[in-house]
Amino acid sequence: MVKQQKPKTLDQELGSIPEEFLKLDISHYSPTQLNQPLWLWALMYGAFTQKERRRNKTNVNMFFGTCIGGITQMMFCDEIWTYQSNKVENNNKISMDQALEILNTDIRAYEPWDEKDREKYEAIRHLAPDYLKQSYEGWKSLNFKAPVIAERNVTNNFTYVNGLGRIDGEDDLHFVEQKCKLPRLLKPKKDGTRSVSSGKIDISIQHCRQTAFYYAATKKRPFLLYVNDQEYKIFDSSNCDLLTKDAMAEHMEYYRQQARLRDRHIINSKGDLLKLLSFHDPDWESFYADIGDENLKKAQELFKQAHNL
């Protein structure tokens, strides 16, 4: 059974968002956007369409996180929301055996972006079942009560546009944000082969900020779940100072500050893309610029035009 969220009317949308935002087709902020450097955000969400962002370079780390998380949701969740805002009733949750079959099919079908990504893929693909098993154990330990819901959109109010995010899993009282910790490739051995380090679990402030965003939207008890091939760890206010109520209030204030910065740039640009880009100096040497040749070429040309205004 599929249900659809009722969208806002056009009058509701257009009446609440300033013209400068509409010219740039910016209708919301997300934790991902607010965690990005300003130059990257202006490029990705001012210059690139969603279709173009999907052409950004991907890697096996991203694939592992999406794949493991999605299959785990199929084992535990009663309702799963799609990106088209359709709610799918998951009346027949899959077993671990079925999950491993799906995982095996997905892993075999993965197409590495380049040779570097292929090398990492070949080194870690055999670890995928262990990641899935740790993910399963982590979710099981949370003991969520039905109905368990995945990928529901939630919002927080900012000044001009709302913040929008999707929750990995939740019941009436709790939610979980899940992350996979992938290993690093080690230096080549004398025989040319490469092994990997363990995917050490350490907590990230960006992940805590993202978790705080969902807490602010739901007021449900938050859990931040990390998994690798050997263990899972769950962080909350009882064992992490970055997830206390006061800390999460600080995280939300950080997001509000980041939203206000973006608001100011958009308003000052008067909705002109090149003017928006001209406010920023891109860091082409950072890993953020590793977006694939096609999109990188377009990005560099746009910033060149912007800085020549």
Side-chain angles (χ1 to χ4, degrees):
M1 181 178 179
V2 177
K3 296 181 180 179
Q4 191 165 26
Q5 288 179 320
K6 185 178 179 180
K8 288 184 178 181
T9 66
L10 185 61
D11 286 341
Q12 287 175 315
E13 289 287 355
L14 297 184
S16 60
I17 301 177
E19 182 181 1
E20 294 88 346
F21 287 75
L22 297 175
K23 285 181 178 179
L24 292 166
D25 198 26
I26 294 175
S27 61
H28 69 276
Y29 297 134
S30 67
T32 297
Q33 292 184 45
L34 299 177
N35 281 333
Q36 288 179 339
L38 280 168
W39 73 267
L40 184 67
W41 160 79
L43 174 69
M44 288 295 141
Y45 295 93
F48 285 3
T49 65
Q50 185 181 70
K51 183 177 180 180
E52 288 172 318
R53 289 195 297 273
R54 288 176 177 168
R55 290 204 299 263
N56 282 347
K57 181 178 178 179
T58 59
N59 58 55
V60 70
N61 287 9
M62 300 177 188
F63 169 74
F64 253 63
T66 301
C67 184
I68 298 299
I71 294 174
T72 305
Q73 289 170 340
M74 293 165 65
M75 288 192 280
F76 284 92
C77 296
D78 303 288
E79 302 170 1
I80 302 176
W81 288 90
T82 70
Y83 282 102
Q84 290 73 41
S85 296
N86 294 321
K87 182 174 70 174
V88 179
E89 304 285 352
N90 185 26
N91 296 320
N92 297 299
K93 299 184 186 68
I94 62 175
S95 66
M96 176 56 78
D97 286 342
Q98 290 171 315
L100 288 170
E101 288 182 13
I102 295 171
L103 178 64
N104 182 56
T105 299
D106 289 350
I107 291 293
R108 292 176 63 184
Y110 177 72
E111 297 182 4
W113 183 275
D114 53 24
E115 192 56 38
K116 181 180 178 181
D117 193 43
R118 181 178 299 281
E119 194 172 21
K120 178 78 175 281
Y121 165 69
E122 294 295 347
I124 70 171
R125 59 183 298 181
H126 70 284
L127 299 175
D130 296 321
Y131 272 84
L132 182 60
K133 290 172 184 176
Q134 293 300 332
S135 179
Y136 173 87
E137 292 299 330
W139 277 68
K140 182 180 178 182
S141 74
L142 292 170
N143 196 30
F144 282 0
K145 307 301 181 185
V148 182
I149 303 170
E151 301 299 332
R152 182 174 68 95
N153 283 334
V154 296
T155 60
N156 281 300
N157 293 328
F158 294 129
T159 304
Y160 294 113
V161 295
N162 286 335
L164 177 67
R166 296 168 67 87
I167 298 179
D168 286 339
E170 62 182 316
D171 65 7
D172 286 342
L173 300 175
H174 319 84
F175 73 86
V176 62
E177 173 66 18
Q178 177 170 336
K179 304 295 181 183
C180 284
K181 284 289 188 175
L182 275 294
R184 295 181 296 103
L185 274 177
L186 299 176
K187 292 181 180 180
K189 300 176 183 178
K190 291 182 178 180
D191 62 2
T193 61
R194 297 179 72 174
S195 57
V196 294
S197 67
S198 62
K200 181 182 177 182
I201 293 179
D202 48 11
I203 199 160
S204 159
I205 191 170
Q206 288 193 345
H207 297 159
C208 293
R209 287 171 178 159
Q210 187 177 356
T211 303
F213 180 94
Y214 303 135
Y215 170 73
T218 66
K219 297 300 186 247
K220 296 180 179 181
R221 182 179 178 185
F223 296 103
L224 179 53
L225 167 64
Y226 287 97
V227 301
N228 62 18
D229 60 311
Q230 299 175 9
E231 63 178 340
Y232 70 86
K233 287 185 179 180
I234 297 174
F235 296 94
D236 63 10
S237 60
S238 70
N239 62 1
C240 179
D241 290 341
L242 291 174
L243 290 174
T244 63
K245 189 173 181 179
D246 287 345
M248 288 193 292
E250 291 181 9
H251 298 329
M252 280 305 298
E253 180 54 33
Y254 171 84
Y255 275 155
R256 292 187 187 94
Q257 291 172 358
Q258 291 300 311
R260 287 193 292 268
L261 278 173
R262 286 155 176 75
D263 291 344
R264 191 177 309 127
H265 288 303
I266 292 170
I267 297 297
N268 289 340
S269 77
K270 295 181 169 49
D272 183 282
L273 169 61
L274 292 182
K275 191 168 184 180
L276 177 67
L277 294 179
S278 73
F279 300 150
H280 308 288
D281 292 315
D283 182 1
W284 301 125
E285 300 303 316
S286 74
F287 71 91
Y288 289 113
D290 192 15
I291 58 177
D293 293 342
E294 182 179 355
N295 277 359
L296 180 60
K297 181 179 179 181
K298 176 179 178 178
Q300 291 175 329
E301 179 58 34
L302 284 171
F303 271 105
K304 181 179 178 180
Q305 293 177 30
H307 289 163
N308 286 334
L309 288 178

